[in-house]
Amino acid sequence: MTIPTIPRTIRIHPNDNVAVVVNDGGLPVGTALPGGPTLVHAVPQGHKVALTELPAGTEVRRYNVVIGHTAVDVPAGGWVNEQRLVMPGARSLDNLPAPQPPADLPPLAGHTFQGYRNTDGSVGTRNLLAVTTTVQCVAGVLEFAVERIKKELLPEYPNVDGVVGLTHSYGCGVAIDAPDAIIPIRTVRNLVSNPNFGGEVMVLSLGCEKLQPERLLPPGSILISDERQGPDVVCLQDDKHVGFMSMIDSILTQAKTHLERLNARQRETCPVSDLVVGVQCGGSDAFSGVTANPAVGFATDLLVRAGATVMFSENTEVRDAVDQLTRRAATPEVAAAIVRELGWYDAYLARGQADRSANTTPGNKKGGLSNIVEKAMGSIVKSGNGPIHGVIAPGEKVTQKGLIFAATPASDFICGTLQLAAGMNLHVFTTGRGTPYGLAECPVIKVATRNDLARRWHDLMDINAGRIASGEATIDDLGWELFHHMLAVASGEKTWAEKWGLHNDLVLFNPAPVT
């Protein structure tokens, strides 16, 4: 492989004593860095090189944050990786900075998208029929029915984008009255009312499960399109069902009513303030915090300026930046809520004899992230630069505009599910190592952190933020590009995941006991 004549590295802050190698394939021993040392180790792409001599015990700084201390002497030009770095302990949740929020960003006007207005005032970016379930036992029946609906009914309703089965692993065999059981229950309940489902509520029940339909959807818990009718419930154990096909016929009969109403809907011009965007990263690398996540952060600021709601999440990937979060909190109440949620999650991890260091993956480390502290500093920049206006607990629905911390686990699938339950109608997902992640319930825009990934996965990645590292574009350029692409996707343009029909299962967060 040909090594470029000019080695490229990125140093985030003047106080940093390491820089990240940009060149595809990394840099070999003996490479002289412009204005820096000569490499004494071969350093892979995305990995850190010591800019000065770092004796054992020296603070290693990236993003002007101490991401660890050297475990051994590292010479100038040496490779700094997880074996040569001792991770610092988690910051205490006591005596954190008081809120000193930045000023609200100036309003941004003149941008709209074409969406589906719902009776509750929310707006969908897709027009989907969703069928929810009360228990995993019925998942196979629903999968069969959904395939029949797609083949036999959907062609008759061209304005309906698709049908999705909201299957999950909950509903029975669980301690349903345990205090933490409220998290999976409200998650399933709030999934039903996602804006992309148009207020049409269909429920498939077995009949003997603990999570009965009336417990899942008590009267008044959600606003549906036909308040007089109430949610349609098909119970498989109903005496009227004789044979498997009678169950399927019941589901298809009820589906027709909902499809007719959905098919009558038309897109209309909507302000950007009707968007509820969830931002997330997965398969992260050292470029995540250099290219894709800063571009997402810039777009986040644009969305908030336009009045939209943006949720950032992933507890373990913001935990080491808690001091930044409390400082950015719009009010003392928001700061206290941040501390409450992260403290609850610390205790949850401790019950499992784990801590935030369990987050990082082999792929993260191969991509240059030495530990969760470094990963968190790159993750938090997806939230932009504005004040944090609110906090929601897992499974809760967002009810305000602005920048919101949705306190979720960092698992891609659990985080995505919880952001859907919160009301997300558009998803932005950054990746450095690469993932085909998608959601059937919501369009997912995937942003590559590196040119090489964007080149190889050209029909899976929607935006290439690697151009920032190669000097072909600025963070602002990519932020505006992403912003306009989000409006196009919200108006109906398909993402690569949608074109291929790629989607992951919904995964609930259930911290309560299983019986």
Side-chain angles (χ1 to χ4, degrees):
M1 177 168 42
T2 301
I3 301 296
T5 55
I6 301 178
R8 292 181 61 86
T9 59
I10 293 179
R11 183 185 191 181
I12 298 293
H13 191 277
N15 292 341
D16 292 352
N17 50 15
V18 293
V20 170
V21 171
V22 173
N23 302 70
D24 289 345
L27 295 173
V29 173
T31 301
L33 300 181
T38 297
L39 298 190
V40 298
H41 303 128
V43 182
Q45 184 190 38
H47 284 248
K48 295 176 288 298
V49 56
L51 298 176
T52 61
E53 182 179 353
L54 302 175
T58 301
E59 291 184 348
V60 175
R61 285 186 172 269
R62 188 173 177 225
Y63 303 100
N64 195 30
V65 171
V66 177
I67 63 170
H69 297 78
T70 47
V72 296
D73 293 341
V74 179
W79 180 13
V80 179
N81 57 30
E82 68 271 14
Q83 287 85 22
R84 297 176 178 141
L85 202 61
V86 178
M87 187 177 77
R91 170 149 188 172
S92 169
L93 294 178
D94 296 323
N95 301 314
L96 288 165
Q100 294 179 317
D104 281 320
L105 300 168
L108 178 66
H111 299 278
T112 60
F113 70 101
Q114 299 297 307
Y116 295 98
R117 178 73 59 185
N118 298 317
T119 55
D120 65 356
S122 67
V123 171
T125 62
R126 296 295 181 267
N127 191 29
L128 299 167
L129 172 62
V131 185
T132 194
T133 57
T134 55
V135 67
Q136 169 66 22
C137 307
V138 304
V141 176
L142 181 55
E143 181 181 7
F144 188 96
V146 165
E147 287 306 309
R148 286 274 305 271
I149 294 170
K150 288 179 178 178
K151 292 177 182 178
E152 300 174 22
L153 299 184
L154 269 186
E156 302 175 17
Y157 303 100
N159 291 335
V160 180
D161 294 319
V163 55
V164 294
L166 304 181
T167 57
H168 53 82
S169 59
Y170 199 68
C172 213
V174 294
I176 201 165
D177 293 317
D180 289 338
I182 186 59
I183 292 176
I185 293 172
R186 71 187 176 204
T187 300
V188 177
R189 177 181 301 146
N190 286 330
L191 280 169
V192 175
S193 59
N194 184 278
N196 289 344
F197 306 150
E200 300 296 331
V201 181
M202 282 187 64
V203 181
L204 185 59
S205 164
L206 179 61
C208 59
E209 64 272 22
K210 289 185 176 180
L211 185 58
Q212 290 288 304
E214 57 270 19
R215 181 164 188 171
L216 174 63
L217 298 173
S221 60
I222 60 171
L223 180 64
I224 60 179
S225 63
D226 190 344
E227 201 63 56
R228 296 167 299 173
Q229 181 179 337
D232 280 342
V233 178
V234 175
C235 178
L236 299 188
Q237 292 177 351
D238 194 307
D239 289 342
K240 72 178 182 180
H241 290 137
V242 179
F244 177 55
M245 281 301 116
S246 68
M247 302 174 187
I248 301 301
D249 289 343
S250 291
I251 298 171
L252 266 64
T253 297
Q254 294 201 8
K256 287 181 181 180
T257 301
H258 298 282
L259 288 169
E260 288 172 2
R261 287 199 290 257
L262 288 170
N263 196 57
R265 289 152 54 83
Q266 299 289 330
R267 288 187 182 271
E268 62 182 67
T269 301
C270 301
V272 175
S273 57
D274 286 324
L275 287 177
V276 181
V277 179
V279 299
Q280 189 188 165
C281 50
S284 299
D285 66 2
F287 289 106
S288 295
V290 177
T291 62
N293 290 349
V296 171
F298 187 92
T300 290
D301 288 342
L302 295 177
L303 289 165
V304 172
R305 288 173 58 191
T309 302
V310 181
M311 296 179 286
F312 72 101
S313 300
E314 302 165 293
N315 291 334
T316 50
E317 296 181 19
V318 303
R319 175 62 175 81
D320 283 278
V322 62
D323 55 327
Q324 297 180 39
L325 299 186
T326 59
R327 190 178 293 114
R328 289 173 59 192
T331 65
E333 291 75 20
V334 170
I338 292 169
V339 173
R340 181 191 69 232
E341 292 301 325
L342 292 179
W344 183 93
Y345 206 76
D346 280 355
Y348 163 75
L349 291 173
R351 291 200 300 270
Q353 300 182 42
D355 60 27
R356 92 261 199 232
S357 67
N359 172 286
T360 47
T361 69
N364 294 153
K365 294 175 182 179
K366 188 174 181 180
L369 294 173
S370 295
N371 57 38
I372 187 57
V373 183
E374 183 178 12
K375 186 177 181 180
M377 294 307 118
S379 175
I380 194 69
V381 296
K382 297 192 302 294
S383 66
N385 296 297
I388 301 169
H389 299 102
V391 178
I392 59 172
E396 289 183 344
K397 198 167 190 66
V398 67
T399 59
Q400 66 184 108
K401 304 290 186 180
L403 180 63
I404 306 298
F405 174 49
T408 77
S411 161
D412 298 348
F413 321 108
I414 294 177
C415 177
T417 301
L418 289 169
Q419 288 185 336
L420 281 171
M424 173 176 69
N425 56 18
L426 185 64
H427 201 16
V428 177
F429 189 98
T430 69
T431 184
R433 305 305 296 167
T435 172
Y437 171 87
L439 294 170
E441 301 79 11
C442 176
V444 179
I445 298 171
K446 289 200 289 297
V447 184
T449 70
R450 299 177 294 122
N451 285 341
D452 183 60
L453 175 63
R455 175 186 59 81
R456 290 184 296 108
W457 287 29
H458 59 90
D459 53 1
L460 287 169
M461 298 292 112
D462 299 289
I463 298 286
N464 174 21
R467 290 173 288 156
I468 295 170
S470 60
E472 301 168 75
T474 67
I475 290 172
D476 292 13
D477 293 337
L478 262 294
W480 275 109
E481 179 181 330
L482 176 59
F483 177 76
H484 289 297
H485 189 68
M486 289 161 64
L487 298 186
V489 170
S491 300
E493 182 176 313
K494 287 190 175 183
T495 66
W496 275 115
E498 289 180 296
K499 291 174 184 176
W500 294 120
L502 301 178
H503 61 267
N504 291 91
D505 292 340
L506 299 177
V507 181
L508 298 182
F509 177 39
N510 177 25
V514 175
T515 59

